[in-house]
Amino acid sequence: MRDVSTSLDMTRIPTCTYRLQFNRWFTFSQAREVVPYLDALGVSDVYASPYFQANPDSLHGYDITDHNKLNPAIGSREDYDAWIAELHAHSMGQVLDFVPNHVGIAEPLNEWWMDLLENGPSSRFAPYFDIDWQPLKSDLRDKVLLPILSDQYGRVLEHGELQVRFEEGTFYLLYGERRLPIAPGTYRYVLEIALRNLAEHKEEDFYAELQSILTALEYLPKRTETDPKRIAERIREKEIIKRRLERRCAEAPQVQQAIENALAQINGEPGDPRSFDALDKLLNAQSYRLAFWRVAAEEINYRRFFDVNDLAAIRVELPKVFDAIHRLTLELVSAGAVTGLRIDHPDGLYLPREYFEKLQQRCAKALGTALPKDGRAIYMIAEKILTGSEMLRMDWRVHGTTGYDFANQVAQLLVDTSTETAITKTFHRFIGHSMPFGHLLYAKKLQIMKLSLANDVDVLGNMLDRLSEQNRWYRDFTLEALSRAVRETIACFPVYRTYLAPGQPVTDEDRQIVEHAIAAAKRRNPAMEESIFNFLRDVLLFRFPPNLDAKARAEHTRFVLKSQQATGPIMAKGLEDTVFYIYNRLAALNEVGGHPQQFGLSIEEFHERNIDRQRNWPATLLATSTHDTKRSEDVRARMVVISEIPELWRRSLQRWRVANRRWKRTINDVEAPDANEEYLFYQTLLGTWPMQADGEPESTPTPDYIERIQAYMAKALHEAKINTSWIQPNEDWDAAMRDFIAKVMDPSPRNKFLPLFIPVAKEAARFGAVNSLTQTLLKLTLPGVPDIYQGNEIWDYSLVDPDNRRPVDYKQRREMLGSLATAHPRDLVRNWADGRIKMLLTQRVLQFRREHVELFQRGEYLPLTPSGALAESCVSFARQLGDQWIAVIAPRLSCRVGFPPIAESWQDTTLEIPETLSLEHAHDLFTCRPVPVQDRRVKLADALPVLPFAVITNL
């Protein structure tokens, strides 16, 4: 347990954050316009997606090309300042999503990457990136592999798609719309031809000048130079050469024409393969090697964000890199424009704990204050994904996570655990086989290591091999055996990563993680020599041989730190982006940070999590929808209802399958889509089916809805990598899935599916709405800081990105908010499908939170235990601070209660109010009606007479 009081006293803690996704379609000016609405809703802080310079068309902003410039597609500095002024006028803060792990490299706007491609290892920015300049493949020595081609290099070259251009004294390579620099030292490949073209002008001054430029190029320090003085000389001289060349072309048009003629010769002629030899020679002399993106995974020698080729990792652990990327952010902190930080993907950092400490210190300096005793100068949350029983590291100088853990806990709470056997049996029967989760995850992590992240693991195997060669006890281990041990151990890792650091003792938690992984790897590989795994275990736990010198110990340490950076992406790609699209037993649980192999969470366990959060992380974020979730909170809430209706689900699946079988195709003797894909499809329809304002399902889906489902299923199938994939698309299978969806949702009378589906959709939608109201109420009242993803203050049935990046209709939401003042709760329940009931719940509780900040930040968490026939269908707790208190009542498993779960439908269920809570003035927050209490017991029929939720308070 840590002392959290100092941090809460010294730091501005939001009472509620609201995530805004900035891009060219939602700008600073538009954000300024919605500030009054967010303030009226009860939001205290905007939670901004990254808005620094990035690809102009980026929907997310994580492909930053310059951390110290605003994205002009989002707005100017004046636009930004006007937005901040509006926030300040409403006493609102801003939590900024900061990306320290990587930068976008697809745009020439990234000056660091362009400089590196031009100058190779001699670039002053080469150390900023995590690049292996000396890989095993000799053709890649002192080069970086660029997997950007749409086909094999030779085909692209001979089709004439690679063209060298010349502008303002500089040569560059054009591939489509992508510009790549040409190394100055290789300008001679063009200029020597140009000089020959000028042979008739040997007596002219410009001829001698061009000869002089060629001579200067010969003496230019090589791109492999690493000596600082020689690098400085290269930087200076190459720019002088460019200026000389530009000036000479301006003064002598003959030189410009000679260069153009030389380029025409070098760029080749499609249909004549030999004409491209000169261009091939020029490109092979560059600091990069172009490659087909689908086949390059094993040789990519720069660390990426996961397997995204256009996002290159940076070494923020280096002081000059840290200083370079945080300059503007710290200025914004100093100015009060940024009042909190969300740190993206800390598991990608070399030393996360040290990073957080340093950033908090810099923020304290920027704010002109002393660093608090707990080391937390500014509100800071980490995008850390916790697995199983894993806890956030107590020594991280943050206030908590971004809330994935809470989203999964509340979803599990809404699952009916008693139906696990029935739901599992239905799933297995439908797909025709069992699907053990642990084995599936193990297999898919191995698949990721063989395909998209192959080189990351190969590098670790090579490093471990070099370490074994240093010791006579281990030198007999072969490279292949060591590489396999690395792969098998990572495949068995139970969490995203460990956090060992140089000079620090290994924690019990990290030791248990490594030993667990090693033991599991041994168990899965009985034919492998056990001592290989023991060697790897000892290295991973800093158990170095006693005879190691300082250099060898440093190499051992580097292997451990590099391996820690690799295990997270492999887990993420294997679990989140593969298994979560295959293990479809109850897809609502397939969420970032989720545990779909677990079927439900008891009320008692849920209370324990909340007590722990109040004790250790009272300001952590509580999220239910985010930009990264696989589906929105409302979709998830609907899909969870499946656990409450196992028999209806089983019967419906059989009927739907029979009705839709005729729309399937046979591809290579297999039905497309396959049974597992069809199983996910039906769950997705239940979670997203549009509803009319009167609560009835739409009888006919719109073309837009059909296209959204087709796009989602296409992504799901590609991520699953079973019948099609991003790297190797199966176009016939993709078309079969797309056509199947269109036929299934055809509104014609011949369609037998829709009449069978609509009644089940209605059931899921009604009880899903109750689930959604429950998770919203819990998020707003439990220990932590509630977070609302843009637009989710009313019903939102979005799926995974890019579906959840669609524009939000704030005009509609402003009008709805304005109508709440005269709305009667009974009407809101009757017209639940219009979303106003969710907005009422959100606004009333947020306004109350704003008025009673201390109660929610410091109030004790008291679990309350209902009794009666429907006790399991209610979750309840109190928050108390002195004589102030609230008691929260929310339904779960509402199919047992009925729709809506109000009044007499609760039968004899009651709730006892603790003696410590004064009942004087006790009333319901939403209706302001006194709540009848007899012998300190409240009947749920009395507490929930109209609304299916309640907050009782004496305030």
Side-chain angles (χ1 to χ4, degrees):
M1 178 178 176
R2 68 179 181 88
D3 180 14
V4 300
S5 59
T6 302
S7 177
L8 295 178
D9 284 336
M10 301 291 292
T11 309
R12 183 189 191 281
I13 306 296
T15 60
C16 173
T17 60
Y18 188 99
R19 174 78 175 201
L20 291 177
Q21 291 295 125
F22 284 97
N23 49 58
R24 67 186 310 161
W25 295 278
F26 187 80
T27 64
F28 295 135
S29 295
Q30 289 166 292
R32 178 172 57 82
E33 292 173 0
V34 303
V35 168
Y37 160 74
L38 296 179
D39 179 51
L41 187 64
V43 172
S44 70
D45 291 64
V46 164
Y47 172 17
S49 68
Y51 47 60
F52 296 138
Q53 180 179 281
N55 184 323
D57 293 325
S58 176
L59 285 174
H60 49 77
Y62 289 97
D63 49 349
I64 294 172
T65 56
D66 191 328
H67 283 77
N68 296 308
K69 294 178 182 176
L70 297 175
N71 189 342
I74 298 174
S76 65
R77 182 58 190 258
E78 290 73 22
D79 296 331
Y80 179 84
D81 290 342
W83 170 53
I84 296 301
E86 188 72 10
L87 287 174
H88 288 174
H90 290 82
S91 301
M92 294 174 67
Q94 181 207 168
V95 177
L96 171 63
D97 192 343
F98 187 80
V99 186
N101 177 72
H102 58 266
V103 292
I105 58 173
E107 292 290 315
L109 292 171
N110 190 324
E111 296 177 4
W112 296 356
W113 188 252
M114 290 300 107
D115 191 274
L116 179 139
L117 295 182
E118 182 182 57
N119 301 296
S122 71
S123 168
R124 55 183 167 160
F125 301 114
Y128 286 32
F129 295 93
D130 207 346
I131 297 173
D132 181 7
W133 292 107
Q134 301 297 320
L136 288 180
K137 186 168 182 174
S138 58
D139 290 338
L140 275 174
R141 300 283 168 85
D142 296 318
K143 292 175 180 280
V144 60
L145 187 78
L146 283 189
I148 64 172
L149 302 182
S150 61
D151 203 340
Q152 302 286 353
Y153 167 74
R155 289 197 188 99
V156 173
L157 178 75
E158 293 179 14
H159 285 163
E161 296 178 48
L162 299 169
Q163 297 283 294
V164 180
R165 296 281 189 263
F166 177 71
E167 287 180 13
E168 299 175 347
T170 302
F171 291 96
Y172 63 90
L173 180 68
L174 190 65
Y175 172 57
E177 296 182 355
R178 198 157 188 162
R179 289 175 57 144
L180 300 174
I182 295 293
T186 65
Y187 284 13
R188 61 186 176 81
Y189 287 86
V190 182
L191 296 183
E192 286 173 354
I193 297 174
L195 191 67
R196 290 198 295 270
N197 292 340
L198 292 170
E200 62 187 63
H201 300 286
K202 285 185 178 181
E203 304 305 320
E204 301 287 348
D205 289 344
F206 59 75
Y207 187 90
E209 177 69 5
L210 194 56
Q211 284 182 314
S212 174
I213 289 173
L214 280 165
T215 301
L217 287 172
E218 287 182 23
Y219 287 96
L220 186 70
K222 305 301 180 188
R223 61 180 176 79
T224 54
E225 286 284 357
T226 55
D227 177 73
K229 290 184 179 178
R230 295 285 285 166
I231 290 176
E233 180 184 346
R234 177 184 170 86
I235 292 172
R236 181 184 68 247
E237 294 301 319
K238 71 180 179 68
E239 295 306 315
I240 291 174
I241 290 170
K242 291 177 185 179
R243 288 196 296 270
R244 288 178 64 189
L245 194 54
E246 180 184 15
R247 185 168 59 250
R248 184 48 58 192
C249 287
E251 294 173 353
Q254 299 94 324
V255 175
Q256 176 76 33
Q257 188 59 50
I259 290 174
E260 295 295 342
N261 293 340
L263 289 178
Q265 180 180 338
I266 287 174
N267 283 330
E269 186 68 36
D272 180 6
R274 295 264 64 88
S275 69
F276 291 95
D277 289 352
L279 179 56
D280 182 39
K281 186 177 180 181
L282 171 62
L283 295 181
N284 285 332
Q286 301 309 308
S287 298
Y288 49 84
R289 178 185 173 99
L290 301 174
F292 181 26
W293 74 270
R294 287 183 180 167
V295 298
E298 294 180 7
E299 295 181 351
I300 291 175
N301 59 333
Y302 62 94
R303 187 167 64 86
R304 299 162 291 168
F305 171 72
F306 294 176
D307 61 349
V308 183
N309 295 338
D310 286 340
L311 297 178
I314 53 177
R315 301 179 63 197
V316 74
E317 67 272 14
L318 300 181
K320 58 185 176 183
V321 180
F322 183 98
D323 293 343
I325 68 169
H326 290 91
R327 188 173 68 249
L328 176 56
T329 297
L330 291 173
E331 288 176 9
L332 297 177
V333 169
S334 177
V338 169
T339 55
L341 291 169
R342 180 252 199 200
I343 304 303
D344 181 66
H345 189 46
D347 277 353
L349 302 179
Y350 204 57
L351 296 166
R353 182 176 64 84
E354 284 77 358
Y355 171 81
F356 290 125
E357 287 182 357
K358 186 172 184 178
L359 184 54
Q360 288 285 11
Q361 291 168 359
R362 293 297 179 87
C363 286
K365 184 177 180 181
L367 292 168
T369 62
L371 187 69
K373 290 182 180 179
D374 72 346
R376 295 167 175 83
I378 193 172
Y379 182 69
M380 192 177 296
I381 49 175
E383 190 214 13
K384 169 60 188 166
I385 300 171
L386 302 170
T387 304
S389 60
E390 183 184 14
M391 306 296 287
L392 186 62
R393 298 299 169 111
M394 301 294 284
D395 58 356
W396 283 15
R397 302 308 184 214
V398 298
H399 291 84
T401 71
T402 52
Y404 299 141
D405 42 341
F406 173 77
N408 286 288
Q409 290 166 17
V410 75
Q412 291 278 3
L413 175 72
L414 299 173
V415 172
D416 189 339
T417 57
S418 69
T419 67
E420 179 175 10
T421 300
I423 294 293
T424 304
K425 189 177 294 184
T426 297
F427 175 49
H428 289 166
R429 283 179 177 173
F430 192 89
I431 66 175
H433 58 85
S434 63
M435 189 179 286
F437 181 85
H439 180 73
L440 179 65
L441 177 57
Y442 164 78
K444 295 309 173 183
K445 288 175 73 175
L446 284 177
Q447 181 187 44
I448 292 298
M449 286 186 275
K450 290 176 183 176
L451 298 176
S452 57
L453 293 173
N455 187 64
D456 299 63
V457 182
D458 289 343
V459 167
L460 294 176
N462 294 331
M463 292 176 70
L464 189 62
D465 181 56
R466 290 196 293 270
L467 297 181
S468 72
E469 290 292 337
Q470 297 174 1
N471 193 300
R472 58 176 174 262
W473 286 84
Y474 309 117
R475 71 177 194 179
D476 293 347
F477 298 150
T478 65
L479 171 60
E480 171 53 34
L482 290 167
S483 295
R484 184 177 177 187
V486 169
R487 287 195 299 270
E488 291 292 324
T489 300
I490 293 176
C492 294
F493 238 65
V495 296
Y496 279 68
R497 65 166 283 176
T498 52
Y499 299 96
L500 281 77
Q504 300 292 325
V506 179
T507 64
D508 290 341
E509 187 173 2
D510 285 332
R511 184 179 298 106
Q512 290 169 11
I513 291 168
V514 171
E515 290 178 347
H516 171 97
I518 292 291
K522 288 180 180 178
R523 189 167 59 251
R524 288 186 178 274
N525 296 273
M528 281 186 68
E529 168 57 41
E530 185 175 329
S531 60
I532 298 176
F533 287 110
N534 292 340
F535 169 62
L536 176 57
R537 176 199 62 204
D538 290 345
V539 172
L540 289 175
L541 292 175
F542 284 166
R543 295 171 183 167
F544 302 144
N547 60 339
L548 286 187
D549 58 22
K551 181 180 178 182
R553 293 175 74 88
E555 290 175 358
H556 275 67
T557 300
R558 183 168 179 269
F559 170 81
V560 174
L561 299 184
K562 289 288 290 182
S563 69
Q564 290 184 147
Q565 288 179 296
T567 57
I570 292 165
M571 174 70 95
K573 295 303 297 180
L575 179 63
E576 298 170 34
D577 293 344
T578 307
V579 171
F580 281 178
Y581 291 97
I582 301 173
Y583 189 80
N584 294 318
R585 179 178 66 169
L586 186 59
L589 304 180
N590 296 7
E591 201 47 85
V592 179
H595 315 103
Q597 72 276 29
Q598 175 186 334
F599 200 84
L601 185 72
S602 71
I603 293 177
E604 293 72 26
E605 291 173 309
F606 184 68
H607 285 316
E608 289 174 9
R609 306 287 177 88
N610 298 329
I611 291 170
D612 178 78
R613 191 185 315 112
Q614 176 62 29
R615 181 186 303 123
N616 293 311
W617 303 102
T620 191
L621 217 59
L622 305 181
T624 42
S625 281
T626 77
H627 62 287
D628 272 337
T629 43
K630 303 299 183 187
R631 46 192 61 84
S632 77
E633 59 194 51
D634 298 325
V635 174
R636 198 181 313 122
R638 275 195 196 176
M639 291 169 64
V640 166
V641 175
I642 291 170
S643 72
E644 300 186 60
I645 51 173
E647 185 57 26
L648 176 60
W649 175 240
R650 183 188 64 80
R651 292 196 314 269
S652 299
L653 284 170
Q654 293 173 342
R655 293 168 181 164
W656 300 341
R657 168 180 263 177
V658 171
N660 295 327
R661 180 165 285 153
R662 57 181 172 160
W663 305 126
K664 292 195 173 191
R665 293 187 198 173
T666 300
I667 299 175
N668 297 327
D669 300 323
V670 179
E671 279 192 343
D674 69 22
N676 195 27
E677 295 162 351
E678 187 179 2
Y679 196 86
L680 173 62
F681 169 63
Y682 293 139
Q683 291 185 71
T684 303
L685 288 188
L686 281 183
T688 59
W689 196 263
M691 304 297 291
Q692 300 174 26
D694 62 0
E696 292 295 321
E698 291 285 358
S699 59
T700 304
T702 64
D704 176 68
Y705 176 74
I706 295 172
E707 288 176 11
R708 286 178 53 217
I709 299 300
Q710 288 173 324
Y712 169 75
M713 290 303 301
K715 178 167 184 173
L717 268 58
H718 283 81
E719 295 285 16
K721 297 175 272 291
I722 299 293
N723 297 306
T724 185
S725 70
W726 300 116
I727 293 177
Q728 195 62 46
N730 184 333
E731 294 181 3
D732 290 339
W733 199 281
D734 295 340
M737 182 78 250
R738 188 169 57 249
D739 294 345
F740 178 79
I741 294 170
K743 294 289 188 182
V744 164
M745 292 198 273
D746 183 357
S748 71
R750 296 186 306 116
N751 190 341
K752 299 177 181 179
F753 168 70
L754 291 179
L756 296 172
F757 174 77
I758 295 295
V760 186
K762 179 177 180 179
E763 193 79 353
R766 294 196 308 168
F767 290 105
V770 176
N771 280 343
S772 190
L773 293 172
T774 289
Q775 67 182 1
T776 300
L777 178 58
L778 295 177
K779 175 176 71 174
L780 297 176
T781 54
L782 286 169
V785 175
D787 172 54
I788 300 171
Y789 183 69
Q790 59 177 29
N792 278 241
E793 60 270 29
I794 62 174
W795 308 132
D796 179 86
Y797 299 109
S798 296
L799 292 162
V800 72
D801 68 278
D803 195 56
N804 63 6
R805 312 277 168 87
R806 290 172 297 151
V808 176
D809 186 346
Y810 283 109
K811 181 176 183 294
Q812 175 203 23
R813 283 161 176 77
R814 273 192 292 264
E815 292 172 353
M816 291 176 69
L817 187 63
S819 73
L820 290 182
T822 58
H824 192 281
R826 201 175 302 278
D827 293 333
L828 297 180
V829 173
R830 186 182 305 114
N831 299 299
W832 63 269
D834 65 16
R836 287 182 300 155
I837 189 170
K838 186 179 181 184
M839 180 175 276
L840 171 84
L841 167 58
T842 301
Q843 194 244 9
R844 293 287 169 84
V845 177
L846 287 184
Q847 294 287 358
F848 187 79
R849 280 186 71 106
R850 180 183 287 173
E851 296 163 4
H852 305 284
V853 173
E854 293 292 304
L855 173 62
F856 287 93
Q857 285 191 357
R858 302 177 185 276
E860 184 182 0
Y861 181 85
L862 305 171
L864 302 182
T865 306
S867 59
L870 296 170
E872 284 192 4
S873 292
C874 172
V875 58
S876 185
F877 58 89
R879 304 291 306 279
Q880 180 181 17
L881 182 66
D883 59 357
Q884 300 180 0
W885 61 270
I886 61 168
V888 175
I889 303 173
R892 63 186 285 268
L893 312 185
S894 297
C895 289
R896 301 179 185 181
V897 185
F899 184 86
I902 60 173
E904 297 306 321
S905 58
W906 283 99
Q907 302 175 31
D908 64 345
T909 311
T910 62
L911 188 69
E912 185 172 358
I913 305 297
E915 294 282 350
T916 56
L917 306 185
S918 170
L919 296 177
E920 188 176 1
H921 306 304
H923 63 278
D924 178 61
L925 175 64
F926 302 101
T927 63
C928 299
R929 293 177 179 174
V931 177
V933 181
Q934 186 173 2
D935 297 329
R936 303 204 68 83
R937 301 196 73 84
V938 175
K939 291 182 179 181
L940 263 63
D942 294 333
L944 308 172
V946 178
L947 294 171
F949 50 81
V951 174
I952 304 172
T953 180
N954 68 336
L955 298 173

